[in-house]
Amino acid sequence: MKAFVVGLIFLTAVAILSVIGLLLFPLLITLVFFLRAFIFLFLLVFAVWFLGTFIIYVWERFIR
């Protein structure tokens, strides 16, 4: 009887977690979209900063 109750509790827990995961799926998709956009913007800002640093370095090399 104890094994039956443990198995029933386990199956109930799996079912509850599956429903929660199913309900959170749209939120996860939205978070992935915003994370991808944030990483893209971060890389864009880094590329602009790196380009500016390179231009300043080349400018100083040609001035001297």
Side-chain angles (χ1 to χ4, degrees):
M1 188 68 176
K2 190 189 324 184
F4 177 76
V5 173
V6 169
L8 190 62
I9 290 172
F10 176 77
L11 289 176
T12 305
V14 167
I16 289 171
L17 291 175
S18 297
V19 169
I20 290 173
L22 187 66
L23 291 174
L24 288 177
F25 187 69
L27 178 65
L28 292 174
I29 295 297
T30 306
L31 287 175
V32 166
F33 172 74
F34 283 116
L35 183 64
R36 188 177 293 170
F38 177 73
I39 290 173
F40 175 75
L41 289 174
F42 176 76
L43 290 175
L44 184 67
V45 168
F46 179 74
V48 170
W49 171 80
F50 188 71
L51 179 64
T53 304
F54 178 73
I55 290 171
I56 290 172
Y57 173 76
V58 169
W59 188 275
E60 289 178 355
R61 293 290 265 177
F62 279 130
I63 295 290
R64 295 182 185 175

